[in-house]
Amino acid sequence: MANVSKKVSWSGRDGDEDDDEDECVGETTPLLNGTGPGAAGGARQLTPSSFLRIGQLSNVDLNEDVSELETELPRQHPNEIPHNEKLLSLKYESLDYDNSENQLFLEEERRINHAAFRTVEIKRWVICAMIGILTGLVACFIDIVVENLAGLKYRVVKGNIDKFTEKGGLSFSLLLWATLNASVVMVGSVIVAFIEPVAAGSGIPQIKCYLNGVKIPHVVRLKTLVIKVCGVILSVVGGLAVGKEGPMIHSGAVIAAGISQGRSTSLKRDFKIFEYFRRDTEKRDFVSAGAAAGVSAAFGAPVGGVLFSLEEGASFWNQFLTWRIFFASMISTFTLNSVLSVYHGNAWDLSSPGLINFGRFDNEKMGYTIQEIPIFIFMGVVGGILGALFNALNYWLTMFRIRYIHRPCLQVVEAMLVAAVTATVGFVMIYCSRDCQPIQGSTVAYPLQLFCADGEYNSMATAFFNTPEKSVVNLFHDPPGSYNPMTLGMFTLMYFFLACWTYGLTVSAGVFIPSLLIGAAWGRLFGISLSYLTKSSIWADPGKYALMGAAAQLGGIVRMTLSLTVIMMEATGNVTYGFPIMLVLMTAKIVGDYFVEGLYDMHIQLQSVPFLHWEAPVTSHSLTAREVMSTPVTCLRRIERVGTVVDILSDTSSNHNGFPVVESNPDTTQVAGLRGLILRSQLIVLLKHKVFVERANLSLVQRRLKLKDFRDAYPRFPPIQSIHVSQDERECMIDLSEFMNPSPYTVPQEASLPRVFKLFRALGLRHLVVVDNRNEVVGMVTRKDLARYRLGKEGLEELSLAQT
């Protein structure tokens, strides 16, 4: 269990420097099912003698000597990594969403007059506008590059196929297509696996965790954005069953995190323009706006972007935030629309609101009647079942990857294999298909004739020989009779398994478009079947059933309801379908949740992230704060010896991030009541600036710190090992009164778990102090203490905690 790989977690980093949002320390970060110095939040004592603690905590006992050996010896990759799905990782820290209202903070806030407050508000709006503009420009760049590179690839392959269809020897065409796909995907996988593994996938689970209050290493770094953008371009051009829309959410979040801070630690540039927003609370709000702007750019759905950020992303929301996020979303889609319209030569048309435009659905041709409502609900049931099957298969595949495909080289080989197999499957199905359609009046971009007669094209090629976005639109709007039922059935079956295999590869890719494409295919097939069975003219156009099937399949996989309804309505430009889409999505979610979790929640769980849902487990009222808290607690006195502070911060076995401050008499061992709470990051800054005096009875004589000193160090606070404290300085005293939070949130030890959970979750806390009836500290509740209780199939279960 101890000697394991370092490439399993989202970040996959080993001993790298602190990430942009790591405001804690610079020690090595332990990874999922790996070892390393502890990263326990709050005040959990992780000494060998305390692995069996009071209460019900069951920690996994790891050999501490192994981590020391790994720093000296080359890393070894075992053939198999044991992975326990009922494990909660201590490597993930929380973000400080609760402002520390110490004297410095209160003095600064009191100095802000009405004019200064208006200036801060204007800056917030300016930042939201910049987020929208930059997110829209990034989306334009992705779209233009993908269109040109994919067009070049398809033209080359099409010319080769046409050439060898006449001469014979189509195996050369297959080899060319598979080689091109594998080569492009290899580059995209290499940059993700070896440079920034957190850029893999769509990034939506990572952003969900970040907005929930969990610090995911490197998730909002500039390097992550660059790798994400390049990776998703190469993934789509490489012909994988992926879409470029999902990663736009992650890209928008990274842009928002960088813009709102007014500096880049990667580029080592500080513009000193948005210093006031350099804290986790403000950054969180802007990241919510960035995620919404990403959705808006992807689908041309500004209202859907706001609702997505509310439903799937943000764990904390307020009314003022809603309008700013909507503003960022509108700016994002307008920027994208303007630039792409100019690029396509119709500058005044503004006809490209998003990366994918589902096209207009004509009410006269595609209306629906009340007798179709049960049919739409049935399609929702089918979508829920297929979505649950997709998630279940992907779950076991992800477990296999965690255990066996954990080396970067193996991850690249798997991505290349999937790319080659995808091309091979597409070629074989096109080759075997005899579904020939007249090319006249067709909107197919790259029609393949193959063995069809002159003036006809192979219908199977419209689905496989195109980018997934174009294929979705074709399935929505191609006239009746464009596809043979056998063609749609085979395509649905093969693409379902290809998309399931593809999601989770070490490439930047989204699952939105593949899900829509699968659903559109079986939905259109469903519509064709209805028209055959009933001979009714109102069901003659299968396009609306393709739309409902797409909504059902995507809803069954990701379990979104409100935001996806609005996104689909905005992308189709038709409010008429709002009600049936809503019915389909609700049905798909209810049916899918009966079998298995949504895809994003499932991957969050597989990464052992301490994610806090909206409510505590329903059967947890029997537990109290005394049973769930961490104990014993490392406390500091209000006036403490510098050497004691340095020793506590240097102790890697108790890597705490929050310390209760108590008032006590140095001559006695009796601890008095709680006076406040101080963070590790604050203590680091105090030691760095040497804010201490020689004797306890002297007042502070060094220069007075300001909040600016703490903001300058945010988010990469230096490690304690980099701060030199002489032997004489160790005997000095440090007064914490001015810097500690004098009013931390506390609960009595008799408080029930749901009550503790609600307080912790609603306020975005990182530490919750547990006190007795004399206001003495008896324990500390952190994120892991609450997240380890989960409602399983057999009732309330407790996850194991490990420094992995």
Side-chain angles (χ1 to χ4, degrees):
M1 178 76 180
N3 183 21
V4 294
S5 166
K6 302 299 185 193
K7 286 286 180 182
V8 181
S9 73
W10 278 326
S11 63
R13 312 305 292 174
D14 180 28
D16 199 358
E17 73 280 356
D18 267 357
D19 55 280
D20 282 350
E21 62 280 353
D22 187 359
E23 84 293 51
C24 194
V25 289
E27 290 92 343
T28 305
T29 304
L31 299 179
L32 179 58
N33 287 295
T35 56
R44 184 185 304 283
Q45 292 284 3
L46 290 177
T47 56
S49 61
S50 63
F51 278 112
L52 297 176
R53 57 169 279 271
I54 300 174
Q56 300 181 10
L57 172 62
S58 55
N59 276 358
V60 179
D61 193 358
L62 300 177
N63 187 354
E64 297 178 355
D65 296 330
V66 175
S67 60
E68 298 177 7
L69 291 174
E70 287 183 340
T71 60
E72 301 171 2
L73 300 176
R75 285 185 300 171
Q76 297 179 352
H77 296 279
N79 292 327
E80 178 184 356
I81 293 181
H83 179 71
N84 180 8
E85 59 197 65
K86 294 186 178 181
L87 184 74
L88 199 64
S89 176
L90 290 177
K91 80 159 199 165
Y92 294 107
E93 282 303 327
S94 295
L95 294 159
D96 290 300
Y97 284 167
D98 180 43
N99 289 324
S100 177
E101 293 192 349
N102 53 23
Q103 291 183 28
L104 298 182
F105 178 83
L106 293 176
E107 288 173 6
E108 181 186 78
E109 292 295 312
R110 288 165 186 156
R111 284 197 301 269
I112 296 180
N113 54 24
H114 182 71
F117 174 76
R118 298 290 296 177
T119 302
V120 169
E121 279 298 299
I122 291 173
K123 285 182 178 180
R124 285 195 176 99
W125 285 92
V126 170
I127 291 173
C128 287
M130 293 172 66
I131 290 170
I133 293 171
L134 287 177
T135 303
L137 291 177
V138 167
C140 290
F141 175 77
I142 292 174
D143 188 62
I144 292 171
V145 175
V146 165
E147 182 181 335
N148 284 278
L149 291 181
L152 177 63
K153 184 192 82 169
Y154 287 127
R155 283 193 296 271
V156 169
V157 175
K158 180 182 183 302
N160 192 272
I161 290 176
D162 292 341
K163 172 184 173 183
F164 282 104
T165 302
E166 299 174 3
K167 293 182 177 181
L170 277 172
S171 56
F172 291 104
S173 301
L174 168 61
L175 186 63
L176 173 66
W177 192 1
T179 303
L180 280 175
N181 276 17
S183 302
V184 173
V185 169
M186 181 189 71
V187 179
S189 182
V190 164
I191 61 175
V192 171
F194 288 93
I195 299 178
E196 198 56 271
V198 78
S202 66
I204 296 176
Q206 291 91 318
I207 296 304
K208 279 188 68 171
C209 291
Y210 183 87
L211 294 175
N212 188 259
V214 182
K215 184 191 307 173
I216 306 297
H218 303 188
V219 73
V220 290
R221 291 187 64 174
L222 177 62
K223 184 166 70 171
T224 303
L225 175 63
V226 174
I227 300 300
K228 194 85 179 181
V229 170
C230 296
V232 73
I233 290 172
L234 294 168
S235 299
V236 176
V237 173
L240 291 176
V242 299
K244 58 181 182 286
E245 282 68 21
M248 277 309 305
I249 297 164
H250 190 180
S251 300
V254 178
I255 291 169
I259 292 295
S260 64
Q261 303 304 291
R263 69 176 176 189
S264 170
T265 49
S266 300
L267 300 178
K268 301 190 181 336
R269 297 294 301 273
D270 190 346
F271 299 100
K272 304 286 185 184
I273 186 173
F274 299 132
E275 286 184 307
Y276 181 81
F277 305 118
R278 290 178 185 173
R279 55 179 186 265
D280 289 336
T281 314
E282 297 284 353
K283 187 191 283 189
R284 173 198 70 203
D285 292 344
F286 290 118
V287 168
S288 300
V295 175
S296 180
F299 296 97
V303 178
V306 175
L307 294 176
F308 174 86
S309 194
L310 173 61
E311 181 182 10
E312 283 293 307
S315 299
F316 309 95
W317 200 266
N318 62 64
Q319 190 174 6
F320 299 105
L321 188 61
T322 307
W323 191 236
R324 289 200 300 270
I325 289 181
F326 182 60
F327 176 68
S329 297
M330 288 294 296
I331 294 292
S332 175
T333 191
F334 179 76
T335 302
L336 177 79
N337 206 340
S338 303
V339 175
L340 288 185
S341 297
V342 171
Y343 174 75
H344 291 137
N346 45 359
W348 306 105
D349 192 13
L350 294 181
S351 56
S352 304
L355 291 182
I356 180 170
N357 185 3
F358 293 156
R360 294 283 173 179
F361 283 79
D362 192 345
N363 283 342
E364 295 180 4
K365 293 182 181 179
M366 299 178 62
Y368 68 94
T369 59
I370 191 147
Q371 61 261 35
E372 291 180 275
I373 297 296
I375 297 174
F376 293 150
I377 294 175
F378 176 74
M379 293 182 73
V381 173
V382 174
I385 294 173
L386 290 178
L389 176 62
F390 184 99
N391 293 356
L393 292 175
N394 191 260
Y395 175 87
W396 293 111
L397 181 59
T398 305
M399 290 287 288
F400 178 83
R401 284 177 173 139
I402 289 174
R403 286 175 174 154
Y404 298 103
I405 311 178
H406 45 267
R407 301 184 187 181
C409 54
L410 291 178
Q411 294 168 344
V412 173
V413 169
E414 187 197 14
M416 293 174 64
L417 175 64
V418 174
V421 169
T422 302
T424 304
V425 168
F427 184 88
V428 170
M429 293 187 68
I430 293 171
Y431 182 84
C432 296
S433 173
R434 293 296 180 267
D435 185 7
C436 297
Q437 302 292 338
I439 202 169
Q440 200 169 23
S442 172
T443 58
V444 180
Y446 309 103
L448 284 179
Q449 183 178 354
L450 272 182
F451 305 113
C452 294
D454 290 341
E456 293 184 337
Y457 69 96
N458 189 303
S459 184
M460 180 70 82
T462 61
F464 268 113
F465 203 69
N466 218 331
T467 57
E469 290 85 357
K470 299 280 179 60
S471 300
V472 170
V473 177
N474 288 338
L475 287 170
F476 283 167
H477 294 289
D478 280 352
S482 299
Y483 299 90
N484 187 294
M486 181 62 71
T487 298
L488 291 173
M490 291 300 297
F491 174 78
T492 302
L493 181 66
M494 298 308 299
Y495 207 81
F496 181 90
F497 290 106
L498 285 174
C500 185
W501 189 12
T502 303
Y503 189 79
L505 289 177
T506 311
V507 294
S508 298
V511 76
F512 271 65
I513 300 302
S515 303
L516 291 173
L517 183 52
I518 295 167
W522 68 254
R524 191 176 181 97
L525 176 61
F526 188 84
I528 293 172
S529 303
L530 273 180
S531 63
Y532 282 163
L533 292 174
T534 62
K535 307 296 184 184
S536 176
S537 60
I538 193 169
W539 293 335
D541 194 332
K544 60 183 172 184
Y545 292 101
L547 177 64
M548 297 304 157
Q553 186 66 53
L554 182 54
I557 290 175
V558 300
R559 309 292 160 76
M560 291 160 51
T561 51
L562 177 64
S563 57
L564 192 53
T565 301
V566 177
I567 288 171
M568 297 289 283
M569 286 166 53
E570 290 185 282
T572 56
N574 196 323
V575 184
T576 309
Y577 292 104
F579 180 66
I581 288 174
M582 182 186 70
L583 281 180
V584 165
L585 288 173
M586 287 181 62
T587 307
K589 176 177 171 57
I590 292 170
V591 173
D593 283 342
Y594 179 79
F595 295 104
V596 70
E597 287 182 301
L599 189 64
Y600 299 142
D601 292 329
M602 187 186 74
H603 277 263
I604 290 172
Q605 181 182 320
L606 280 172
Q607 293 297 333
S608 304
V609 179
F611 187 89
L612 295 182
H613 295 280
W614 286 107
E615 297 288 343
V618 292
T619 58
S620 60
H621 279 85
S622 58
L623 295 173
T624 63
R626 184 193 298 110
E627 295 171 284
V628 304
M629 68 185 183
S630 300
T631 186
V633 182
T634 302
C635 296
L636 295 173
R637 294 176 296 179
R638 189 177 59 81
I639 300 178
E640 187 61 270
R641 196 172 68 89
V642 172
T644 303
V645 175
V646 172
D647 291 340
I648 289 174
L649 296 182
S650 303
D651 185 5
T652 56
S653 66
S654 58
N655 191 11
H656 308 332
N657 294 296
F659 303 91
V661 179
V662 298
E663 189 74 68
S664 75
N665 186 347
D667 300 329
T668 66
T669 58
Q670 183 180 3
V671 178
L674 176 69
R675 293 293 178 267
L677 181 77
I678 193 162
L679 301 176
R680 170 184 286 267
S681 56
Q682 294 172 311
L683 293 172
I684 291 284
V685 175
L686 296 183
L687 292 176
K688 178 182 177 181
H689 291 278
K690 301 192 182 300
V691 184
F692 37 75
V693 293
E694 293 183 4
R695 294 190 301 276
N697 58 352
L698 292 180
S699 60
L700 222 58
V701 294
Q702 303 292 348
R703 77 177 184 88
R704 192 166 183 271
L705 287 187
K706 298 180 180 179
L707 275 184
K708 180 181 181 300
D709 298 299
F710 294 90
R711 288 170 181 158
D712 286 342
Y714 176 87
R716 293 189 187 180
F717 293 95
I720 184 63
Q721 290 82 358
S722 67
I723 298 175
H724 175 70
V725 179
S726 66
Q727 194 60 40
D728 291 339
E729 289 173 335
R730 287 178 61 89
E731 301 303 321
C732 294
M733 306 300 290
I734 183 169
D735 190 345
L736 306 178
S737 305
E738 191 178 7
F739 311 102
M740 69 180 185
N741 182 2
S743 55
Y745 290 99
T746 62
V747 291
Q749 53 188 342
E750 292 80 18
S752 66
L753 175 60
R755 191 171 185 82
V756 173
F757 189 99
K758 188 175 295 184
L759 179 65
F760 196 97
R761 177 70 171 76
L763 298 176
L765 303 181
R766 186 177 186 180
H767 308 97
L768 184 59
V769 185
V770 182
V771 296
D772 59 13
N773 53 9
R774 295 179 296 176
N775 199 36
E776 293 180 2
V777 179
V778 294
M780 182 85 83
V781 175
T782 61
R783 174 175 291 272
K784 287 93 174 181
D785 299 316
L786 299 176
R788 75 174 194 266
Y789 292 99
R790 187 177 67 187
L791 191 62
K793 294 180 180 178
E794 300 177 358
L796 190 66
E797 60 185 17
E798 181 182 358
L799 307 183
S800 299
L801 295 178
Q803 291 176 261
T804 58

